[in-house]
Every structure is written in C-alpha cells, then in structure tokens.
Amino acid sequence: MTAFVVKGWCPDAWRPMMAGDGLLVRVRPPLGRLTRAQLLGLAEATTRHGNGQIDATTRANLQIRGVREDSWRALIDALLDLGLIDRDQTREARANILVAPDWRAGDDTHRIAEELRARLSELPDLPGKVGFAIDAGVTPTLQDAPADFRIERAASGQLILRPDGRERGTPLSPGTEIDHLIALARWFVGSGGAASGRMARHDAPLPDWAAGITSPAPSVYRLQPGLHPLGVALGLPFGRVSATALSRFLETETAVEAVRLTPWHIAICETAAKLRVQPDPADFITDPSSPLLRTDACVGAPACPQATVETRSLAHRLAPQVTGRLHVSGCAKGCARAAPADVTLTGRDGRYDLAFDARVGAPPSRAGLDAAQILAQFGAA
Ligand code: SF4
C-alpha cells in the first residue's frame, strides 16, 4: 500500500493518515452527494473495516476512522465499487471541491462542478489543503466554508472567481469559469504559493487579469434542520453518525433517495415524502435551537494522538450552558473550527485552557482547568 500520510498532510482515501485509533480514510463523494445505495454500502464498509462511526468534515467530506492496516485495501475496494472514490489517485487527491449543497441538475453549480471534475488533470500539483468552492447559486452559500478559490455570484448576477483572502473577484463569461480557475491555480503554483500552503496566506500580486474588481453578493444563507426544498435537513452531533444509526434510518425512511453533505454538520436528505418517524435525537438533530448546532468539538483523546484531553462528552454537557458558539479542541491545532468561538477550550498537557471570543490556542482567560472546574464555572456541574 502507499505510504501513510504524516500529520500536517491532508489525507484522502488513497493516502490514509495514521491516527490514535487506526487509519483515517477520507472520502470525497462527487458533488457532495451519496445515493441511498452508496450510503448503505458505506455504512456496511465502515462497520466491517472501521470503527463503525462516520464523520462529516467542514469540507463536506466523510471520514472513516479506526481502519486496521490489513483492512485498508478491502475498504478501498468497497469504496471503488460504490463509486465513492476515483481509481486515479492523482484525480482523487485533487478533487477537493466544495459544492453549494442546494444545486439542481443542470444549474450553474452543477455544470461548473462537473466540468472541474472532468478537468482535474489540468490542475497543477497543489498543496494538500488547497481546495475549491463552486458556489454558483442565486447568492453565495459557502462564504464561511474553507476554500482557496471560489466561483460565486456577484450582486449583479454575474459569476466571479475570487481567491481566498481577497475581497473582490474577477467577472467570468459563461463557459470560461474553469479555464480561469485552472489559470489561477497555475499562477498560484508558479508564483510560489506552495510555500505559503494556502491562498489566503499567499500575498504575491495577482496577475492583471485576476485583480478583482467585483464583490460577491452578500450571503443570507443559513441552513437549519427541518424541511428543505430538496426534502429534510438533519443535523449530525459533532458531525458524526454511527453506521448502525445511518442504516436504521435509511431502512425506516425508504423514500430518502440520496443525502447531500454540507460544511455545517447538517445533511440534506433528498426525499419527496415527509419522514415517516421522527429520527432518534441521539443520532440526528431535528431541533433548530439545539445547542449542539452551536458547538464544535474534534474527536479528541484517545482517538487523536495529538490530544491530551477528552472533548465531546465535555462539549455535550457544556453546550446548553453556553450562550453563543462553543469550541472544545483536543489541542491547539483546532481541526474542528478555524474561526473564533464565544467560548473556546483548548487541551494542553491533560488540562484545558479557557478563552472567550477567541480561536483555539489564544491567550487564555483561565489556564490549566480540569473538566470539573469548567463545568462548575458554567453552572453545569
Ligand atoms: S484539534 Fe483535535 S483532532 Fe485536531 S489534531 Fe488536535 S486533538 Fe487531534
């Protein structure tokens, strides 16, 4: 098998990363959509080869954890059979494409994302974390999601290409969107962008043709659990669902034809009919006011070797007591959330540092707390 990926790299299915609980295999479903058959197959493969848990990421990918080294190849074969990964390892590595989840067949988002997928071989080799957002609906929906190159809508209705970290983008003529995106990716590499790793950190002057003059339209999009034009949206606590719960849900809700992933730990079930039964609240969030929708927590200890603290049980108990956004991170890397949160707990040497209105690792208001002290501070003891 290929060499395992060391930390700092962005793993994919062909290049899994060794974590504390076994290999981590990332799956990037085409257009962020899985059919019923793919979901059931994925659940079975996760149970058979992984730890039985499926994690959705902030890039609308899925992760299977706890994969044994001697199971990896069988898992890959299952994912290939399901059409969830590409046989071409280079194409799979480059398919870091976030797609506006409300796309419809034949619309601009669908057309442009499909063209990008068809032309992945024209992209240069990019740093592992560099990704694309195809966000060509009526107004932008992905502005809070991580991407280095965005195709999105301007207030005028025209599509623009906007590099991350720049406020304005370049207007695009219909049919030229991917030509320009590939050209900008090549400029990024040619101008030394690989050294900075991400577009937002790359401060080289843009080429004249890409010096943006047009602002994206303001985004008013906010996805919540509940009815959705495509069916029903369901929240996933901390982005996780067990393979057992997923299979049980699909076997009950036979009208669900497919599921779309989003960067917000909310999945959109495509269904023409109402759900027959209320999903189990232990598995899915159906209440838009649930505090777990305002809570981020990485997998923490013991699953992640970087973590020295447990994260999700604490986050679960703390969430109802926190006003605003809560982020509990196993270490200062902050995988679960890059942006600041109202309350941030960062694991360090087996204890937690507490900060307010801060990113992980920010100077704490109180340092070296244990879980009991934190729960007491927030009245959750
Ligand atoms: S933030 Fe969490 S998941 Fe990421 S490396 Fe640190 S402990 Fe691991």
Side-chain angles (χ1 to χ4, degrees), residues 34-44 54 234 241-260 267-271 275-277 279 283-284:
L34 299 95
T35 64
R36 158 178 285 274
Q38 287 174 321
L39 287 162
L40 287 167
L42 181 79
E44 185 185 340
I54 301 168
L234 297 174
V241 63
S242 75
T244 305
L246 178 61
S247 298
R248 189 168 56 228
F249 170 70
L250 290 169
E251 283 156 9
T252 306
E253 301 294 348
T254 51
V256 174
E257 296 168 10
V259 166
R260 297 191 187 189
I268 301 170
C269 303
E270 293 181 24
T271 173
L275 297 186
R276 295 196 309 174
V277 295
D283 302 321
F284 300 99

Side-chain angles (χ1 to χ4, degrees), residues 298-300 304-307 329-336:
C298 71
V299 69
C304 177
Q306 316 299 322
S329 183
C331 78
K333 190 173 173 189
C335 294

Side-chain angles (χ1 to χ4, degrees), residues 163-251:
D164 201 32
R166 310 298 206 272
E167 291 185 358
R168 296 187 178 85
T170 303
L172 302 168
S173 305
T176 68
E177 297 92 351
I178 298 303
D179 295 339
H180 286 91
L181 187 147
I182 291 170
L184 195 59
R186 289 178 176 168
W187 163 83
F188 175 78
V189 171
S191 59
S196 39
R198 301 299 302 270
M199 183 60 230
R201 295 198 293 259
H202 187 45
D203 54 10
L206 289 162
D208 288 347
W209 67 265
I213 55 171
T214 305
S215 299
S219 177
V220 291
Y221 188 82
R222 184 158 174 251
L223 181 63
Q224 291 190 319
L227 290 178
H228 182 277
L230 290 164
V232 178
L234 297 174
L236 306 176
F238 307 121
R240 170 167 282 194
V241 63
S242 75
T244 305
L246 178 61
S247 298
R248 189 168 56 228
F249 170 70
L250 290 169
E251 283 156 9

Side-chain angles (χ1 to χ4, degrees), residues 7 17 24 65 297-301 303-309 311-312 327-337 346-347 360:
K7 65 182 178 182
M17 183 171 72
L24 184 158
R65 303 187 68 106
C298 71
V299 69
C304 177
Q306 316 299 322
T308 61
V309 294
T311 50
R312 289 182 173 167
H327 183 186
V328 183
S329 183
C331 78
K333 190 173 173 189
C335 294
R337 181 177 178 82
T346 305
V360 293

Side-chain angles (χ1 to χ4, degrees), residues 107-381:
D107 71 7
D108 282 338
T109 297
H110 182 227
R111 171 181 62 80
I112 295 167
E114 287 285 42
E115 182 177 344
L116 178 54
R117 287 180 48 75
R119 297 176 63 183
L120 288 172
S121 61
E122 297 178 46
L123 287 170
D125 285 332
L126 292 160
K129 291 182 183 294
V130 169
F132 309 93
I134 308 300
D135 193 11
V138 177
T139 57
T141 61
L142 297 174
Q143 288 181 344
D144 64 349
D148 296 81
F149 305 99
R150 300 169 186 274
I151 292 175
E152 56 193 351
R153 192 73 65 181
S156 65
Q158 194 169 18
L159 290 174
I160 60 172
L161 171 61
R162 185 167 65 90
D164 201 32
R166 310 298 206 272
E167 291 185 358
R168 296 187 178 85
T170 303
L172 302 168
S173 305
T176 68
E177 297 92 351
I178 298 303
D179 295 339
H180 286 91
L181 187 147
I182 291 170
L184 195 59
R186 289 178 176 168
W187 163 83
F188 175 78
V189 171
S191 59
S196 39
R198 301 299 302 270
M199 183 60 230
R201 295 198 293 259
H202 187 45
D203 54 10
L206 289 162
D208 288 347
W209 67 265
I213 55 171
T214 305
S215 299
S219 177
V220 291
Y221 188 82
R222 184 158 174 251
L223 181 63
Q224 291 190 319
L227 290 178
H228 182 277
L230 290 164
V232 178
L234 297 174
L236 306 176
F238 307 121
R240 170 167 282 194
V241 63
S242 75
T244 305
L246 178 61
S247 298
R248 189 168 56 228
F249 170 70
L250 290 169
E251 283 156 9
T252 306
E253 301 294 348
T254 51
V256 174
E257 296 168 10
V259 166
R260 297 191 187 189
L261 306 174
T262 76
W264 311 290
H265 295 168
I266 296 177
I268 301 170
C269 303
E270 293 181 24
T271 173
K274 281 186 180 173
L275 297 186
R276 295 196 309 174
V277 295
Q278 188 75 353
D280 188 333
D283 302 321
F284 300 99
I285 302 170
T286 57
D287 178 1
S289 66
S290 168
L292 291 182
L293 292 170
R294 298 182 271 105
T295 304
D296 303 292
C298 71
V299 69
C304 177
Q306 316 299 322
T308 61
V309 294
E310 190 283 330
T311 50
R312 289 182 173 167
S313 294
L314 178 61
H316 217 286
R317 292 183 66 187
L318 211 51
Q321 311 300 323
V322 170
T323 303
R325 194 100 209 159
L326 167 66
H327 183 186
V328 183
S329 183
C331 78
K333 190 173 173 189
C335 294
R337 181 177 178 82
D342 297 283
V343 175
T344 297
L345 290 161
T346 305
R348 182 175 55 82
D349 299 334
R351 297 211 158 213
Y352 302 86
D353 291 343
L354 169 64
F356 296 97
D357 195 17
R359 292 185 166 81
V360 293
S365 296
R366 295 183 68 191
L369 302 175
D370 63 23
Q373 288 172 306
I374 294 163
L375 292 167
Q377 167 144 352
F378 286 90

